[in-house]
């Protein structure tokens, strides 16, 4: 999903647009068949933010559960 270009003098990070398209097609500009696909990274920010919020809720619930079990 993530690509790192080590061959260039300038290091770059990014997602492989063709792989992201299978999960979040709205975040990919496909162009025509002869053009390179491109990512629209601003469109994945809300999805990533929601995922972090959901993970934090799970962490909070598990922390509470652990504290309750340790108190027994």
């Amino acid at each position: 999903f993530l690509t790192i270009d080590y061959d260039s003098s300038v290091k770059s990070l990014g997602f492989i647009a063709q792989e992201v398209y299978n999960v979040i097609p709205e975040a990919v500009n496909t162009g025509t068949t002869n053009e390179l696909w491109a990512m629209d990274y601003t469109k994945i920010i809300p999805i990533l933010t929601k995922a972090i919020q959901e993970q934090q809720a799970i962490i909070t619930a598990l922390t509470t559960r652990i504290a309750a079990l340790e108190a027994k």
Side-chain angles (χ1 to χ4, degrees):
F1 217 75
L2 179 66
T3 181
I4 304 171
D5 184 5
Y6 288 111
D7 297 328
S8 172
S9 62
V10 177
K11 305 294 184 237
S12 62
L13 297 172
F15 293 106
I16 299 170
Q18 288 82 349
E19 292 181 8
V20 173
Y21 183 79
N22 294 326
V23 181
I24 313 168
E26 300 84 2
V28 177
N29 297 319
T30 58
T32 64
T33 55
N34 294 330
E35 293 180 18
L36 293 175
W37 289 17
M39 287 290 307
D40 184 351
Y41 288 96
T42 58
K43 291 186 178 178
I44 65 172
I45 292 171
I47 295 167
L48 296 175
T49 302
K50 182 65 176 171
I52 292 168
Q53 290 172 337
E54 290 174 359
Q55 284 183 331
Q56 190 57 49
I58 292 168
I59 291 167
T60 301
L62 290 173
T63 301
T64 302
R65 185 175 175 193
I66 290 169
L69 290 171
E70 288 176 343
K72 288 184 176 182

